[in-house]
Amino acid sequence: MKIEKIQALRGPNIWSIRRKKLIQMRLDLEEMENYPTNKIDGFRERIEKLIPSLLTHRCSEGEEGGFFHRIETGTWMGHVIEHIALEIQTLAGMDVGFGRTRETKSPGVYNVVFNYIEENAGIYAAEEAVNIAQALIDNKEYDINACIQKLKEIRERVRLGPSTGSIVEEAVSRKIPWIRLGTNSLVQLGYGVNQQRFQATITGKTSSIAVDIACNKELTKKMLHDAAIPVPVGDLVIDEESLSAVIKKIGYPIVLKPLDGNHGKGSSINVNDWEAAKTGLEHAQKYSKKVIVEKYITGYDFRVLVINNKMVAAARRVPAHVIGDGELSLQELIDKENRDPRRGYGHENVLTEIEVDKDTSELLEKLQYTLETVPQKGEIVYLKSTANLSTGGTSIDVTDMVHPENITMAERVSKIIGLDVCGIDIMAENLTQPLKESGAAIIEVNAAPGFRMHLAPSEGLPRNVAAPVVDMLYPQGKPFTIPIIAVTGTNGKTTTTRLISHIVKSNGYRVGFTTSDGIYIQNTMLSKGDTTGPLSAEFVLKDPTVEFAVLETARGGILRSGLGYSQCDIGVLTNIEEDHLGL
């Protein structure tokens, strides 16, 4: 078998209007065209043993096991490869299910089509599905676990994070189009003059001054203290001498954290002696020369989320931990916890696998434990010093338990710092009492707070915290797209596009249009050449000055990549003539 080419379709296409993200692989079966699956000895048994979860594929039979039945009665290898490509993506945490395999005009050459979540992972799945099928045909060993792990790694490298992804999903549910800008988490919602941008949970409306304040923990603490917001006592240190002076003033236990740190990196919690304090200083200074030393506040770690100056969610965060049963070692308990179906690699599930790292080793060392230690029944052993979900922590929703005074205070904090999306970390016994009464304190204010703990808490109600972000970016009545007229056909497209663009411009709109000789904004050519494909359409729709788009859309671009827009307001089909239908 030979792969002739692999194309990633990114918009509405000839296979599906609704499923925009499809891999189209042109596959030459060569001699395998003469060998459907029922003519390959032992093929059914081998594929069922290697990928037993294919049992769930109903195929055209319409019932569980339908795909295996098709293999039994005989189906061609292109169809088998389509199902393998779908299943290995699903096993790697990317839920896909649409596929089509159709023979082309060339005998034995097929278009194998299936949907993907992440483009790079989809392309890898296409290539590897062919390798898996060949191994099954040849009765050779194949490491399916290594393949799935590789797919997970590709996915984690290129996917949108859970917070960014949740905002995109909320936008899509409202039919707001989106474009990924680059390969990181920078996203554009909407088109042209009506676009909004965000990255992770920082929006185009977020004040850069507010971000600078939030990133400077000492300045944040001073501003909150000056506004009568409870914060821990402490000071900034740069060496052991200044560290000793602060400890003499505030006493043990203490917390050390880098001035410019985030996600708990470089932090040491509940430090009770000088040797541990020196080690904590050294650890923090790997991230920042200046280190904050504060009095350790006892209690639980809470995160309050404020969006557009309104509190929308609160969660209690619990560091990664295991509970002893008197029989299993710590390593065995960690392995058991990681088998929880809610845990996964990276951000694939609501919880992240617990990884044994330096932080874990140091915590166990303080308890004089090793990974072989068997904790007593009911004993809680914490494996991380911070409660971040990215290191295996869990969360409990407490939104409905927050005291009204604490809600008001959290909303004040967001305005004092100036953040439109604000995560406030609080150390307290509970949030049901006002902070000043319970002796609690605000530990930190975050400019790009993660949403995962609120979207899918380990306990309690999930909160759709992406919705208020989209509400803020697009208040009721605010348009998110621009008028789009698309022109296709075999002859006369460019002339028609130019005429329509002239009419639109004459009516006072700033128009962007694409033709077979270039991309224009108003009457200025910005790119020369045949610009009638999806990338050229995206160029116009990304331009923040464009109020109206007129897009010449050639048949080649539709076939190779799909449309460059979700839908248009008016579609113009000029004509269909045989002289232009070579593809």
Side-chain angles (χ1 to χ4, degrees), residues 410-580:
E411 293 172 353
R412 274 190 71 220
V413 168
S414 75
K415 288 187 176 181
I416 290 165
I417 304 303
L419 289 169
D420 58 339
V421 180
C422 179
I424 302 166
D425 293 344
I426 301 172
M427 191 64 72
E429 289 298 328
N430 60 69
L431 294 182
T432 57
Q433 294 176 266
L435 261 57
K436 289 183 178 179
E437 290 182 13
S438 64
I442 290 181
I443 306 299
E444 202 168 308
V445 177
N446 298 274
F451 284 0
R452 187 159 62 136
M453 71 186 78
H454 308 295
L455 294 165
S458 313
E459 296 178 36
L461 289 175
R463 308 284 172 170
N464 182 7
V465 294
V469 175
V470 180
D471 289 340
M472 176 178 68
L473 297 175
Y474 289 104
Q476 192 169 8
K478 179 180 172 63
F480 48 77
T481 188
I482 57 175
I484 300 174
I485 297 177
V487 183
T488 194
T490 50
N491 296 289
K493 296 186 296 298
T494 298
T495 304
T496 306
T497 298
R498 286 183 173 281
L499 283 167
I500 295 171
S501 300
H502 181 72
I503 294 168
V504 170
K505 182 173 176 288
S506 298
N507 276 271
Y509 291 96
R510 186 174 182 85
V511 62
F513 60 99
T514 61
T515 69
S516 55
D517 63 353
I519 301 173
Y520 295 80
I521 305 296
Q522 289 294 75
N523 286 332
T524 303
M525 180 189 283
L526 299 182
S527 179
K528 187 177 175 62
D530 187 349
T531 57
T532 55
L535 290 178
S536 302
E538 194 175 273
F539 182 102
V540 170
L541 298 173
K542 287 196 296 190
D543 192 299
T545 69
V546 172
E547 299 170 326
F548 204 119
V550 184
L551 306 171
E552 181 179 341
T553 307
R555 68 216 171 282
I558 298 173
L559 291 172
R560 285 189 291 270
S561 300
L563 292 173
Y565 41 87
S566 300
Q567 64 182 61
C568 56
D569 299 276
I570 297 172
V572 178
L573 178 62
T574 58
N575 56 358
I576 303 175
E577 297 292 339
E578 289 184 2
D579 64 324
H580 278 63

Side-chain angles (χ1 to χ4, degrees), residues 8 75 208 242 290 374 467:
T75 188
S208 61
S242 53
K290 296 179 180 178
V374 177

Side-chain angles (χ1 to χ4, degrees), residues 76-240:
W76 271 262
M77 206 48 63
H79 180 215
V80 173
I81 287 166
E82 170 204 322
H83 279 267
I84 292 174
L86 288 169
E87 187 59 19
I88 60 177
Q89 287 184 90
T90 299
L91 291 171
M94 295 168 283
D95 192 14
V96 291
F98 175 83
R100 295 285 185 271
T101 299
R102 299 288 183 266
E103 192 170 17
T104 66
K105 289 186 293 183
S106 305
V109 179
Y110 291 78
N111 279 320
V112 180
V113 178
F114 57 88
N115 63 317
Y116 65 87
I117 302 297
E118 299 297 340
E119 185 176 309
N120 290 357
I123 292 170
Y124 179 82
E127 296 167 342
E128 214 52 31
V130 175
N131 293 334
I132 292 169
Q134 191 65 59
L136 291 166
I137 292 165
D138 298 337
N139 195 14
K140 291 182 177 177
E141 291 292 318
Y142 182 87
D143 190 343
I144 193 72
N145 292 325
C147 168
I148 291 166
Q149 180 61 28
K150 176 72 172 176
L151 274 169
K152 288 182 177 182
E153 290 169 4
I154 294 171
R155 179 204 66 203
E156 287 302 301
R157 195 163 59 241
V158 299
R159 77 185 299 187
L160 293 172
S163 303
T164 311
S166 70
I167 298 172
V168 168
E169 286 172 17
E170 179 63 25
V172 169
S173 73
R174 303 184 191 195
K175 298 189 175 1
I176 299 174
W178 68 284
I179 300 171
R180 189 170 184 174
L181 305 175
T183 56
N184 55 20
S185 293
L186 182 61
V187 170
Q188 172 185 317
L189 297 180
Y191 291 149
V193 294
N194 294 320
Q195 67 181 260
Q196 296 284 348
R197 295 176 188 165
F198 70 95
Q199 184 165 17
T201 56
I202 292 180
T203 77
K205 295 178 178 291
T206 304
S207 159
S208 61
I209 292 177
V211 173
D212 284 346
I213 293 169
C215 290
N216 187 324
K217 294 180 174 62
E218 188 65 15
L219 178 57
T220 298
K221 186 174 160 184
K222 181 181 186 309
M223 290 179 70
L224 296 182
H225 178 268
D226 292 347
I229 304 288
V231 293
V233 295
D235 211 337
L236 209 57
V237 304
I238 57 170
D239 52 28
E240 290 184 11

Side-chain angles (χ1 to χ4, degrees), residues 165-451:
S166 70
I167 298 172
V168 168
E169 286 172 17
E170 179 63 25
V172 169
S173 73
R174 303 184 191 195
K175 298 189 175 1
I176 299 174
W178 68 284
I179 300 171
R180 189 170 184 174
L181 305 175
T183 56
N184 55 20
S185 293
L186 182 61
V187 170
Q188 172 185 317
L189 297 180
Y191 291 149
V193 294
N194 294 320
Q195 67 181 260
Q196 296 284 348
R197 295 176 188 165
F198 70 95
Q199 184 165 17
T201 56
I202 292 180
T203 77
K205 295 178 178 291
T206 304
S207 159
S208 61
I209 292 177
V211 173
D212 284 346
I213 293 169
C215 290
N216 187 324
K217 294 180 174 62
E218 188 65 15
L219 178 57
T220 298
K221 186 174 160 184
K222 181 181 186 309
M223 290 179 70
L224 296 182
H225 178 268
D226 292 347
I229 304 288
V231 293
V233 295
D235 211 337
L236 209 57
V237 304
I238 57 170
D239 52 28
E240 290 184 11
E241 185 180 346
S242 53
L243 173 63
S244 176
V246 172
I247 292 173
K248 284 178 183 175
K249 187 166 68 174
I250 66 175
Y252 292 109
I254 60 168
V255 174
L256 299 98
K257 53 190 176 183
L259 178 64
D260 303 319
N262 56 28
H263 301 297
K265 292 176 183 174
S267 298
S268 298
I269 312 296
N270 197 12
V271 173
N272 283 285
D273 60 72
W274 176 243
E275 287 304 315
K278 287 195 296 182
T279 302
L281 176 64
E282 184 181 342
H283 182 44
Q285 287 188 324
K286 292 176 183 175
Y287 299 90
S288 172
K289 178 65 179 170
K290 296 179 180 178
V291 176
I292 294 174
V293 179
E294 294 174 339
K295 187 73 174 176
Y296 175 66
I297 307 291
T298 57
Y300 298 108
D301 184 341
F302 292 96
R303 164 66 65 80
V304 176
L305 182 64
V306 181
I307 296 174
N308 204 18
N309 305 129
K310 296 290 181 186
M311 193 204 88
V312 297
R316 179 183 147 199
R317 301 188 296 178
V318 183
H321 65 280
V322 291
I323 301 174
D325 62 1
E327 297 178 8
L328 298 178
S329 69
L330 283 171
Q331 184 63 66
E332 290 169 328
L333 289 168
I334 292 169
D335 293 341
K336 181 182 176 183
E337 180 64 29
N338 282 339
R339 288 194 291 272
D340 184 334
R342 295 176 301 168
R343 292 194 182 272
Y345 181 80
H347 291 143
E348 71 179 346
N349 286 344
V350 296
L351 297 175
T352 300
E353 291 174 353
I354 300 171
E355 180 184 340
V356 176
D357 58 10
K358 183 185 176 192
D359 189 23
T360 309
S361 302
E362 288 175 353
L363 286 173
L364 296 181
E365 195 176 315
K366 286 178 183 177
L367 296 170
Q368 295 184 329
Y369 283 1
T370 69
L371 291 171
E372 284 68 50
T373 301
V374 177
Q376 296 178 11
K377 187 173 183 179
E379 180 184 359
I380 298 174
V381 180
Y382 289 101
L383 303 166
K384 304 290 175 186
S385 57
T386 60
N388 296 76
L389 264 68
S390 58
T391 59
T394 56
S395 65
I396 302 166
D397 179 73
V398 296
T399 305
D400 297 329
M401 303 177 192
V402 183
H403 191 280
E405 192 173 307
N406 291 337
I407 293 174
T408 301
M409 183 201 63
E411 293 172 353
R412 274 190 71 220
V413 168
S414 75
K415 288 187 176 181
I416 290 165
I417 304 303
L419 289 169
D420 58 339
V421 180
C422 179
I424 302 166
D425 293 344
I426 301 172
M427 191 64 72
E429 289 298 328
N430 60 69
L431 294 182
T432 57
Q433 294 176 266
L435 261 57
K436 289 183 178 179
E437 290 182 13
S438 64
I442 290 181
I443 306 299
E444 202 168 308
V445 177
N446 298 274
F451 284 0

Side-chain angles (χ1 to χ4, degrees), residues 29-84:
L29 293 187
E30 297 179 318
E31 71 272 10
M32 292 310 300
E33 173 67 5
N34 302 315
Y35 292 92
T37 51
N38 60 340
K39 291 187 177 181
I40 304 171
D41 290 340
F43 188 87
R44 157 74 193 267
E45 292 74 19
R46 291 196 291 274
I47 192 171
E48 191 169 358
K49 181 182 178 183
L50 185 69
I51 316 177
S53 53
L54 282 168
L55 177 69
T56 60
H57 289 219
R58 295 170 172 262
C59 209
S60 55
E61 304 289 318
E63 60 184 19
E64 193 170 87
F67 174 62
F68 284 148
H69 183 255
R70 289 287 304 278
I71 288 176
E72 193 75 45
T73 56
T75 188
W76 271 262
M77 206 48 63
H79 180 215
V80 173
I81 287 166
E82 170 204 322
H83 279 267
I84 292 174

